[in-house]
Every structure is written in structure tokens, then in C-alpha cells.
Amino acid sequence: MFEIGSSLREARERRGLSPEDVQKAIRIRDRYLNALEEERWELLPGEAYVKGFLRTYADYLGLDANLYIDEYNSRFAGQDDQLLVPHQLARQTPSSRGGILRPLLALAAIAAIVAGVAAWQLHGQGSAQRAGNTTGGTTTRQTTQSHQRHHKARKAKKPVALPTRAVLSATRGAVWLEVRAGSATGTLLYEGTLQQGQTKPVDLKSGPLWIRIGDPPSLDIRLGGKLLTGLPTQVGNVLLTRRGLQPA
């Protein structure tokens, strides 16, 4: 057993660093750094946030981050384990239901266009065959091949649908998350802690999501069933789009 806070402070002072130096280097606010060094866990947003800050601070000082997290788990874990908000995304409003209907109507329109194109192609092929009966077999084959090439070209240009749903999973430990629409100043959609084994589905139909992650090594993000790469190694932000992850 050792004192987590005093050990961090002594390591910082041995390196001749002030709290301001550390704040600039790892972008953790000075009041949170003071809370870590004084073991004032109640001043931090939650347990997952504490672990994320401990990992980042210890790594920066050249210490064994796992040792500090294990010590915290053995002495303090579970004492401040409450969600900042309920485990649910904002309830659907009439406008969000309208956002679902609009893509369905668009799909119906596309299906009608495709059916019309197919009917037109069949009519054209029938006309070509009738003309071939009077002008000869060579003309018929040339017309049919031309329609086939035209049909293949249309199929090749059909866009690939991008996934509209992702799943956030706390696979290796509890992780604190803040999810906003579009950017760091967008509408808050979710803020809370996923316990290990819990998942949170998110919808990308209305656009990208800005996500702040308290302990990225504990989190997996799957988009359309595919595991994404590019998460930060410490507390940080990402932008989740229908094409994947981007730095934010």
C-alpha cells in the first residue's frame, strides 16, 4: 500500500515541474491535478474519469500507471460509482421520428426510379429484338450487347450505403463518455459512465458525433459491426462519422 496523491506530487517535484507545466503538457485542468495529488476523488466527475486521469498523469511522470490504478481499485473503487445522467440517449421527439421517415421515403422513391429504369430497359430490348427480326441477326446482337453494357454501367455507379449505427462498448473496464451532436458545442446527447460489459448504441443518421472519452483503452467502437481503430491513448476527443473515426 502507498499514498497515491503524495507519490504523484513527489514524482512531479523531483522533475522540477509545476502543476501549470503538467496542465499544459497533458491538458488536464489544474483543479483535477490537485484533486489527484490530494486524493480528493469526490472533486472528479466519476470513477472512470479518475482512472483515466491517473493513467495519463502517471505515464507522463514515467511511473507505472497500472500500479496506481490497481492501488486505487483496491482502496477506493466503487465508492463513487454513479452515473451523471441516466443510461439512455435523449428520447425521440416528433422531429427525430420525422428524421427516420424521410430516409424511408427517399428509399421508396429510389425503388420507384429503379423499377421505371428496368421497365424502360425491358421495353427497349423488346424493340431491339423485333427490329432484329427484319434487319438480321447481326443488328439484334449489337443492340442487345449495347443495352447490356449500358445496364452494367448503371449498376457500377450505384453508391455503396454507409452504416448509420455504431455501438460503444466498455470492454476492458468502466469508461466515462460525453457524446454531442457534430462538435464540442453541439447538443448534448449522452454523458455518463459505461460499466465494463455495458454497451451504448448511437445513431449517425443526423450527422457525425463528437465524443470525449475518459479512459480510451477501456473502450471499443464498432461501426456497422466493424471494430474501429484510431482511439487516443489517454483522455481525449474523437469525431465519429459514417466513414469512421477522425481526431477532434
Side-chain angles (χ1 to χ4, degrees), residues 218-230:
S218 297
L219 183 70
D220 279 346
I221 300 180
R222 292 184 179 273
L223 178 63
K226 181 181 178 181
L227 180 64
L228 300 183
T229 59

Side-chain angles (χ1 to χ4, degrees), residues 160-166 204-205 223-226 241-244:
V160 178
L162 296 174
T164 60
R165 182 182 175 87
L204 299 170
K205 291 179 182 177
L223 178 63
K226 181 181 178 181
T241 73
R242 295 174 64 182
R243 295 184 180 276

